[in-house]
Coordinates of all heavy atoms in Angstrom, one line a residue:
M25 N 73.1 122.8 97.5 CA 72.9 121.5 96.8 C 74.2 120.9 96.3 O 74.5 119.7 96.3 CB 71.9 121.6 95.7 CG 71.5 120.3 95.1 SD 70.6 119.3 96.3 CE 70.4 117.8 95.4
K26 N 75.1 121.8 95.8 CA 76.4 121.4 95.3 C 77.2 120.6 96.3 O 78.0 119.7 96.0 CB 77.2 122.5 94.7 CG 78.3 122.1 93.9 CD 78.8 123.2 93.0 CE 79.9 122.6 92.1 NZ 80.1 123.4 90.9
G27 N 77.1 121.1 97.6 CA 77.8 120.4 98.7 C 77.5 118.9 98.8 O 78.3 118.1 99.0
L28 N 76.2 118.6 98.7 CA 75.7 117.3 98.8 C 76.2 116.4 97.6 O 76.6 115.3 97.8 CB 74.2 117.2 98.8 CG 73.5 117.8 100.0 CD1 72.0 117.8 99.8 CD2 73.9 117.0 101.2
R29 N 76.3 117.0 96.5 CA 76.8 116.3 95.3 C 78.3 115.9 95.5 O 78.6 114.8 95.3 CB 76.7 117.2 94.0 CG 75.3 117.4 93.6 CD 75.2 118.4 92.4 NE 76.2 118.1 91.4 CZ 75.9 117.3 90.3 NH1 74.7 116.9 90.1 NH2 76.8 117.1 89.4
S30 N 79.1 116.9 95.9 CA 80.5 116.6 96.1 C 80.7 115.6 97.2 O 81.7 114.8 97.2 CB 81.3 117.8 96.3 OG 80.9 118.5 97.5
T31 N 79.8 115.6 98.3 CA 80.0 114.7 99.4 C 79.7 113.3 98.9 O 80.5 112.3 99.3 CB 78.9 115.0 100.5 OG1 79.2 116.3 101.0 CG2 79.0 114.1 101.6
R32 N 78.8 113.1 98.0 CA 78.5 111.7 97.5 C 79.7 111.2 96.7 O 80.1 110.1 96.8 CB 77.2 111.7 96.6 CG 76.9 110.4 96.1 CD 75.6 110.4 95.4 NE 75.4 109.2 94.7 CZ 74.5 109.0 93.7 NH1 73.7 110.0 93.3 NH2 74.3 107.8 93.2
G33 N 80.3 112.1 95.9 CA 81.5 111.7 95.1 C 82.7 111.5 96.0 O 83.4 110.5 95.8
S34 N 82.9 112.3 97.0 CA 84.1 112.1 97.9 C 83.9 110.9 98.7 O 84.9 110.2 99.0 CB 84.3 113.3 98.7 OG 83.2 113.6 99.6
N35 N 82.7 110.5 99.1 CA 82.5 109.3 99.9 C 82.8 108.1 99.0 O 83.4 107.1 99.5 CB 81.0 109.1 100.3 CG 80.8 110.0 101.5 OD1 81.7 110.5 102.2 ND2 79.5 110.3 101.8
A36 N 82.5 108.1 97.7 CA 82.9 107.0 96.8 C 84.4 106.9 96.7 O 85.0 105.8 96.7 CB 82.3 107.2 95.4
V37 N 85.1 108.0 96.6 CA 86.6 108.0 96.6 C 87.2 107.5 97.9 O 88.1 106.7 97.9 CB 87.1 109.4 96.2 CG1 88.6 109.4 96.3 CG2 86.6 109.8 94.8
D38 N 86.6 107.9 99.0 CA 87.1 107.4 100.3 C 87.0 105.9 100.4 O 87.9 105.2 100.9 CB 86.3 108.1 101.5 CG 86.7 109.5 101.6 OD1 87.8 109.9 101.2 OD2 86.0 110.3 102.3
R39 N 85.8 105.4 99.9 CA 85.7 103.9 100.0 C 86.7 103.2 99.1 O 87.2 102.2 99.4 CB 84.2 103.5 99.5 CG 83.2 103.8 100.6 CD 81.8 103.2 100.2 NE 81.3 103.6 98.9 CZ 80.6 104.7 98.7 NH1 80.3 105.5 99.7 NH2 80.2 105.0 97.5
L40 N 87.0 103.8 97.9 CA 88.0 103.3 97.0 C 89.4 103.3 97.7 O 90.1 102.3 97.6 CB 88.1 104.1 95.7 CG 89.2 103.7 94.7 CD1 89.0 102.3 94.3 CD2 89.2 104.6 93.6
K41 N 89.7 104.4 98.4 CA 91.0 104.4 99.1 C 91.1 103.3 100.1 O 92.2 102.7 100.2 CB 91.1 105.8 99.8 CG 91.3 106.9 98.9 CD 91.4 108.2 99.7 CE 91.6 109.4 98.8 NZ 91.7 110.7 99.6
L42 N 90.0 103.0 100.8 CA 90.0 101.9 101.8 C 90.2 100.6 101.2 O 91.0 99.7 101.6 CB 88.8 102.0 102.7 CG 88.6 103.1 103.7 CD1 87.3 103.1 104.4 CD2 89.7 103.0 104.7
R43 N 89.4 100.3 100.1 CA 89.5 99.0 99.4 C 90.8 98.8 98.8 O 91.3 97.7 98.8 CB 88.4 99.0 98.4 CG 87.0 98.8 98.8 CD 86.0 98.4 97.7 NE 86.3 99.1 96.5 CZ 85.6 100.2 96.0 NH1 84.7 100.7 96.8 NH2 85.9 100.7 94.8
S44 N 91.4 99.8 98.2 CA 92.6 99.6 97.4 C 93.9 99.8 98.2 O 94.9 99.3 97.8 CB 92.7 100.6 96.2 OG 92.8 101.9 96.7
G45 N 93.8 100.5 99.3 CA 95.0 100.8 100.1 C 95.8 101.9 99.5 O 96.9 102.2 100.0
N46 N 95.4 102.6 98.5 CA 96.1 103.7 97.9 C 95.4 105.0 98.3 O 94.3 105.3 97.9 CB 96.0 103.6 96.3 CG 96.7 104.7 95.6 OD1 97.3 105.6 96.2 ND2 96.7 104.6 94.3
A47 N 96.1 105.7 99.2 CA 95.5 106.9 99.8 C 95.7 108.1 98.8 O 95.3 109.2 99.1 CB 96.2 107.2 101.1
G48 N 96.3 107.9 97.7 CA 96.6 109.0 96.7 C 95.4 109.4 95.8 O 95.5 110.4 95.1
Y49 N 94.4 108.6 95.7 CA 93.3 108.9 94.8 C 92.7 110.3 95.2 O 92.4 110.6 96.4 CB 92.2 107.9 94.9 CG 92.5 106.6 94.2 CD1 92.7 105.4 94.8 CD2 92.6 106.6 92.8 CE1 93.0 104.2 94.2 CE2 92.9 105.4 92.1 CZ 93.1 104.2 92.8 OH 93.4 103.1 92.1
T50 N 92.4 111.1 94.2 CA 91.8 112.4 94.4 C 90.7 112.6 93.4 O 90.7 112.1 92.3 CB 92.8 113.5 94.2 OG1 93.3 113.5 92.9 CG2 93.9 113.5 95.3
M51 N 89.7 113.3 93.9 CA 88.5 113.7 93.0 C 88.6 115.1 92.7 O 89.0 116.0 93.5 CB 87.2 113.4 93.8 CG 86.0 113.9 93.1 SD 84.5 113.8 94.1 CE 84.8 115.2 95.2
S52 N 88.4 115.5 91.4 CA 88.4 116.9 91.0 C 87.0 117.2 90.3 O 86.4 116.3 89.8 CB 89.5 117.1 90.0 OG 90.7 116.9 90.6
V53 N 86.7 118.5 90.4 CA 85.4 118.9 89.9 C 85.7 120.0 88.8 O 86.5 120.9 89.1 CB 84.5 119.5 90.9 CG1 83.1 119.9 90.3 CG2 84.2 118.5 92.0
T54 N 85.2 119.9 87.6 CA 85.4 120.9 86.6 C 84.4 122.1 86.8 O 83.5 122.0 87.7 CB 85.1 120.3 85.2 OG1 83.7 120.0 85.1 CG2 86.0 119.1 84.9
G55 N 84.6 123.1 86.1 CA 83.8 124.3 86.2 C 82.4 124.0 85.8 O 81.4 124.7 86.2
D56 N 82.2 123.0 85.0 CA 80.8 122.6 84.5 C 80.1 121.7 85.5 O 79.0 121.2 85.3 CB 80.9 121.8 83.2 CG 81.4 122.7 82.1 OD1 81.3 123.9 82.2 OD2 82.0 122.1 81.1
G57 N 80.8 121.3 86.7 CA 80.2 120.5 87.7 C 80.4 119.0 87.4 O 79.7 118.2 88.0
L58 N 81.3 118.7 86.5 CA 81.6 117.3 86.2 C 82.8 116.8 87.1 O 83.6 117.6 87.5 CB 81.9 117.1 84.7 CG 80.8 117.5 83.8 CD1 81.3 117.4 82.3 CD2 79.6 116.7 83.9
F59 N 82.8 115.5 87.3 CA 83.8 114.9 88.2 C 84.8 114.0 87.5 O 84.4 113.4 86.5 CB 83.2 114.1 89.3 CG 82.2 114.8 90.2 CD1 80.9 115.0 89.8 CD2 82.6 115.4 91.4 CE1 80.0 115.7 90.6 CE2 81.7 116.1 92.2 CZ 80.4 116.3 91.8
F60 N 86.1 114.0 87.9 CA 87.0 113.0 87.4 C 88.0 112.6 88.5 O 88.1 113.3 89.5 CB 87.7 113.5 86.1 CG 88.7 114.7 86.3 CD1 90.0 114.5 86.7 CD2 88.2 116.0 86.2 CE1 90.8 115.6 86.9 CE2 89.0 117.1 86.4 CZ 90.3 116.9 86.7
L61 N 88.6 111.4 88.3 CA 89.4 110.8 89.3 C 90.9 110.8 88.9 O 91.1 110.6 87.7 CB 88.9 109.4 89.6 CG 89.6 108.5 90.6 CD1 89.3 109.1 92.0 CD2 89.2 107.1 90.5
S62 N 91.8 111.0 89.8 CA 93.2 110.9 89.5 C 93.9 110.0 90.6 O 93.4 109.9 91.7 CB 93.9 112.3 89.6 OG 93.3 113.2 88.7
E63 N 95.0 109.4 90.2 CA 95.6 108.5 91.2 C 96.4 109.3 92.2 O 96.7 108.8 93.3 CB 96.6 107.6 90.4 CG 96.1 106.1 90.5 CD 97.0 105.1 90.0 OE1 97.2 105.1 88.8 OE2 97.6 104.4 90.8
K64 N 96.8 110.5 91.8 CA 97.6 111.4 92.8 C 97.2 112.9 92.5 O 96.7 113.2 91.3 CB 99.1 111.2 92.7 CG 99.6 111.5 91.3 CD 101.1 111.2 91.2 CE 101.6 111.5 89.8 NZ 103.1 111.3 89.7
P65 N 97.4 113.8 93.4 CA 97.0 115.2 93.1 C 97.8 115.7 92.0 O 99.0 115.5 91.9 CB 97.4 115.9 94.4 CG 97.4 114.8 95.5 CD 97.8 113.5 94.8
G66 N 97.1 116.3 91.0 CA 97.8 116.8 89.8 C 98.1 115.8 88.8 O 98.7 116.1 87.7
G67 N 97.8 114.6 89.0 CA 98.1 113.5 88.1 C 97.1 113.5 86.9 O 96.1 114.2 86.9
P68 N 97.4 112.7 85.9 CA 96.5 112.6 84.8 C 95.1 111.9 85.2 O 95.1 111.1 86.1 CB 97.2 111.7 83.8 CG 98.1 110.9 84.6 CD 98.5 111.8 85.8
P69 N 94.0 112.4 84.6 CA 92.7 111.8 85.0 C 92.6 110.4 84.5 O 93.1 110.0 83.5 CB 91.7 112.7 84.3 CG 92.5 113.5 83.3 CD 93.9 113.5 83.7
L70 N 92.0 109.6 85.4 CA 91.7 108.1 85.1 C 90.5 107.9 84.2 O 90.2 106.8 83.8 CB 91.7 107.3 86.3 CG 92.9 107.3 87.2 CD1 92.7 106.6 88.5 CD2 94.1 106.7 86.4
C71 N 89.7 109.0 84.1 CA 88.4 108.9 83.3 C 88.1 110.3 82.8 O 88.7 111.3 83.2 CB 87.3 108.4 84.2 SG 86.9 109.6 85.6
A72 N 87.2 110.3 81.8 CA 86.8 111.6 81.3 C 85.9 112.2 82.3 O 85.3 111.5 83.2 CB 86.0 111.3 80.0
P73 N 85.7 113.5 82.3 CA 84.8 114.2 83.2 C 83.4 113.6 83.1 O 82.8 113.4 82.0 CB 84.8 115.6 82.8 CG 86.1 115.8 82.2 CD 86.4 114.5 81.5
L74 N 82.8 113.2 84.3 CA 81.5 112.5 84.3 C 80.5 113.2 85.2 O 80.9 113.9 86.1 CB 81.7 111.0 84.8 CG 82.7 110.1 84.1 CD1 83.0 108.9 84.9 CD2 82.1 109.8 82.7
E75 N 79.2 112.9 84.9 CA 78.2 113.4 85.8 C 78.3 112.6 87.1 O 79.0 111.5 87.2 CB 76.8 113.1 85.2 CG 76.5 114.0 84.0 CD 76.2 115.4 84.4 OE1 75.7 115.6 85.6 OE2 76.4 116.3 83.6
L76 N 77.7 113.0 88.2 CA 77.8 112.4 89.5 C 77.5 110.9 89.5 O 78.2 110.1 90.0 CB 77.0 113.1 90.5 CG 77.0 112.5 91.9 CD1 78.4 112.7 92.5 CD2 76.0 113.2 92.8
A77 N 76.4 110.5 89.0 CA 75.9 109.1 89.0 C 76.9 108.2 88.3 O 77.3 107.2 88.8 CB 74.5 109.0 88.4
E78 N 77.4 108.7 87.1 CA 78.4 107.9 86.3 C 79.7 107.8 87.1 O 80.4 106.8 87.1 CB 78.6 108.4 84.9 CG 77.4 108.2 84.0 CD 76.7 109.6 83.7 OE1 77.3 110.6 84.0 OE2 75.6 109.5 83.2
F79 N 80.1 109.0 87.7 CA 81.4 109.0 88.4 C 81.3 108.1 89.6 O 82.3 107.3 89.8 CB 81.6 110.5 88.9 CG 82.8 110.6 89.8 CD1 84.1 110.6 89.2 CD2 82.8 110.7 91.1 CE1 85.2 110.7 90.0 CE2 83.9 110.8 91.9 CZ 85.1 110.8 91.3
A80 N 80.3 108.1 90.4 CA 80.2 107.2 91.5 C 80.2 105.7 91.1 O 80.8 104.9 91.7 CB 78.9 107.5 92.3
A81 N 79.5 105.4 90.0 CA 79.5 104.0 89.5 C 80.9 103.6 89.0 O 81.4 102.5 89.3 CB 78.5 103.9 88.3
F82 N 81.6 104.5 88.3 CA 83.0 104.3 87.9 C 83.9 104.0 89.1 O 84.7 103.0 89.1 CB 83.5 105.5 87.0 CG 84.9 105.4 86.7 CD1 85.3 104.5 85.7 CD2 85.9 106.1 87.3 CE1 86.7 104.4 85.4 CE2 87.2 106.0 87.0 CZ 87.6 105.2 86.0
V83 N 83.8 104.9 90.1 CA 84.7 104.8 91.2 C 84.4 103.5 92.0 O 85.3 102.8 92.4 CB 84.6 106.0 92.1 CG1 85.4 105.8 93.4 CG2 85.1 107.2 91.4
N84 N 83.1 103.1 92.1 CA 82.7 101.9 92.8 C 83.2 100.7 92.1 O 83.4 99.6 92.7 CB 81.2 101.9 93.1 CG 80.8 102.9 94.1 OD1 81.6 103.3 95.0 ND2 79.6 103.3 94.1
S85 N 83.4 100.7 90.8 CA 83.8 99.6 90.1 C 85.3 99.3 90.1 O 85.8 98.3 89.7 CB 83.3 99.7 88.6 OG 84.1 100.7 87.9
L86 N 86.1 100.3 90.6 CA 87.5 100.2 90.6 C 88.0 99.4 91.9 O 87.3 99.4 92.9 CB 88.2 101.6 90.6 CG 88.0 102.4 89.3 CD1 88.7 103.8 89.5 CD2 88.7 101.7 88.2
G87 N 89.2 98.9 91.8 CA 89.8 98.3 93.0 C 89.1 97.0 93.4 O 88.1 96.6 92.8
P88 N 89.6 96.4 94.4 CA 89.0 95.1 94.9 C 87.6 95.4 95.5 O 87.4 96.5 96.1 CB 90.0 94.6 96.0 CG 90.8 95.8 96.4 CD 90.8 96.7 95.2
Q89 N 86.7 94.5 95.4 CA 85.3 94.7 95.9 C 85.2 94.0 97.2 O 85.8 93.0 97.5 CB 84.3 94.1 94.9 CG 84.4 94.8 93.5 CD 84.1 96.3 93.5 OE1 83.1 96.7 94.1 NE2 85.0 97.0 92.9
T90 N 84.5 94.7 98.1 CA 84.2 94.1 99.4 C 83.1 93.1 99.4 O 82.1 93.4 98.7 CB 83.9 95.2 100.5 OG1 82.8 95.9 100.0 CG2 85.1 96.1 100.7
P91 N 83.2 92.0 100.0 CA 82.1 91.0 100.0 C 80.8 91.6 100.7 O 81.0 92.3 101.7 CB 82.6 89.8 100.7 CG 83.8 90.3 101.5 CD 84.3 91.5 100.8
K92 N 79.7 91.2 100.2 CA 78.4 91.7 100.8 C 78.2 91.0 102.1 O 78.3 89.8 102.2 CB 77.3 91.5 99.9 CG 76.0 92.1 100.3 CD 75.0 92.1 99.2 CE 73.7 92.8 99.6 NZ 72.7 92.8 98.6
R93 N 77.8 91.8 103.2 CA 77.6 91.2 104.5 C 76.3 90.5 104.5 O 75.3 91.0 104.0 CB 77.6 92.3 105.5 CG 79.0 92.9 105.7 CD 79.0 94.1 106.6 NE 78.5 93.7 108.0 CZ 78.3 94.5 109.0 NH1 78.6 95.8 108.8 NH2 77.9 94.1 110.1
V94 N 76.3 89.3 105.1 CA 75.0 88.5 105.2 C 74.8 88.2 106.7 O 75.7 87.7 107.3 CB 75.2 87.2 104.4 CG1 73.9 86.4 104.5 CG2 75.5 87.6 102.9
S95 N 73.6 88.5 107.2 CA 73.3 88.2 108.6 C 72.8 86.8 108.7 O 72.5 86.1 107.8 CB 72.3 89.2 109.1 OG 71.0 88.9 108.5
K96 N 72.7 86.3 110.0 CA 72.2 85.0 110.3 C 70.7 84.9 109.8 O 70.3 83.8 109.4 CB 72.3 84.7 111.8 CG 73.7 84.6 112.3 CD 73.6 84.4 113.8 CE 75.0 84.4 114.4 NZ 75.0 84.3 115.9
L97 N 70.0 86.0 110.0 CA 68.6 86.0 109.5 C 68.5 85.8 108.0 O 67.6 85.1 107.5 CB 67.9 87.2 110.0 CG 67.8 87.4 111.5 CD1 67.2 88.8 111.8 CD2 67.0 86.3 112.1
D98 N 69.4 86.4 107.3 CA 69.4 86.3 105.8 C 69.6 84.8 105.4 O 69.0 84.3 104.5 CB 70.4 87.2 105.2 CG 70.1 88.6 105.3 OD1 68.9 89.0 105.4 OD2 71.0 89.5 105.3
V99 N 70.6 84.2 106.1 CA 70.9 82.8 105.8 C 69.7 81.9 106.1 O 69.3 81.0 105.3 CB 72.1 82.3 106.6 CG1 72.4 80.8 106.5 CG2 73.4 83.1 106.1
A100 N 69.1 82.1 107.2 CA 67.9 81.3 107.6 C 66.7 81.5 106.6 O 66.1 80.5 106.3 CB 67.4 81.7 109.0
F101 N 66.5 82.7 106.2 CA 65.5 83.0 105.2 C 65.8 82.3 103.9 O 64.9 81.7 103.3 CB 65.4 84.5 105.0 CG 64.3 84.9 104.1 CD1 62.9 84.7 104.4 CD2 64.6 85.5 102.8 CE1 61.9 85.1 103.5 CE2 63.6 85.8 101.9 CZ 62.2 85.6 102.3
E102 N 67.0 82.3 103.4 CA 67.4 81.7 102.2 C 67.1 80.2 102.3 O 66.7 79.5 101.3 CB 68.9 81.9 101.9 CG 69.2 83.3 101.4 CD 68.6 83.6 100.1 OE1 68.5 82.7 99.2 OE2 68.2 84.8 99.9
K103 N 67.4 79.6 103.5 CA 67.1 78.1 103.6 C 65.6 77.8 103.5 O 65.2 76.8 103.0 CB 67.7 77.7 105.0 CG 69.1 77.5 105.0 CD 69.6 77.0 106.4 CE 71.1 76.9 106.5 NZ 71.5 76.5 107.8
Q104 N 64.8 78.7 104.0 CA 63.4 78.5 104.0 C 62.8 78.6 102.5 O 61.8 78.0 102.2 CB 62.6 79.5 104.8 CG 62.8 79.3 106.3 CD 62.1 80.3 107.1 OE1 61.5 81.3 106.6 NE2 62.1 80.1 108.5
L105 N 63.5 79.4 101.7 CA 63.1 79.6 100.3 C 63.4 78.4 99.4 O 62.7 78.2 98.4 CB 63.7 80.8 99.7 CG 63.3 82.2 100.3 CD1 64.1 83.3 99.6 CD2 61.8 82.4 100.1
V106 N 64.4 77.6 99.8 CA 64.7 76.4 99.0 C 63.7 75.3 99.2 O 63.4 75.0 100.4 CB 66.2 75.9 99.4 CG1 66.5 74.7 98.7 CG2 67.2 77.0 99.2
K107 N 63.2 74.8 98.1 CA 62.2 73.8 98.2 C 62.9 72.4 98.5 O 64.0 72.2 98.0 CB 61.4 73.6 96.9 CG 60.4 74.7 96.7 CD 59.6 74.3 95.5 CE 58.4 75.2 95.3 NZ 57.6 74.8 94.1
K108 N 62.3 71.7 99.4 CA 62.9 70.3 99.6 C 62.5 69.4 98.5 O 61.3 69.4 98.0 CB 62.3 69.8 100.9 CG 62.9 70.6 102.1 CD 62.4 69.9 103.4 CE 63.0 70.6 104.6 NZ 62.5 70.0 105.9
K109 N 63.4 68.5 98.1 CA 63.1 67.6 97.1 C 62.2 66.4 97.6 O 62.5 66.0 98.8 CB 64.4 67.0 96.5 CG 65.2 68.0 95.7 CD 66.4 67.4 95.2 CE 67.3 68.4 94.4 NZ 68.5 67.9 93.9
P110 N 61.2 66.0 96.9 CA 60.4 64.9 97.4 C 61.2 63.6 97.5 O 62.0 63.3 96.7 CB 59.3 64.7 96.4 CG 59.7 65.5 95.2 CD 60.8 66.4 95.6
S111 N 61.0 62.8 98.6 CA 61.8 61.6 98.8 C 61.2 60.4 98.0 O 60.1 60.3 97.8 CB 61.8 61.2 100.3 OG 62.3 62.3 101.0

């Protein structure tokens, strides 16, 4: 089960690397199973050691955010939801 936990955390760090263009971000795990992020290997931590859910939320909030993808069907559905004003 611990492997799945670290995979979720490392995926969040990989997405941050792609968004920010900084390939130096590293994730570390303490002996207690808490996670923290560094800008480079051996660098100072950017956050206090966090549980997995808080760590993933912290990492996802860093760097530039990617715009949410919207399909043609989503746009058409949104148009149908808008009420027409009476003439």
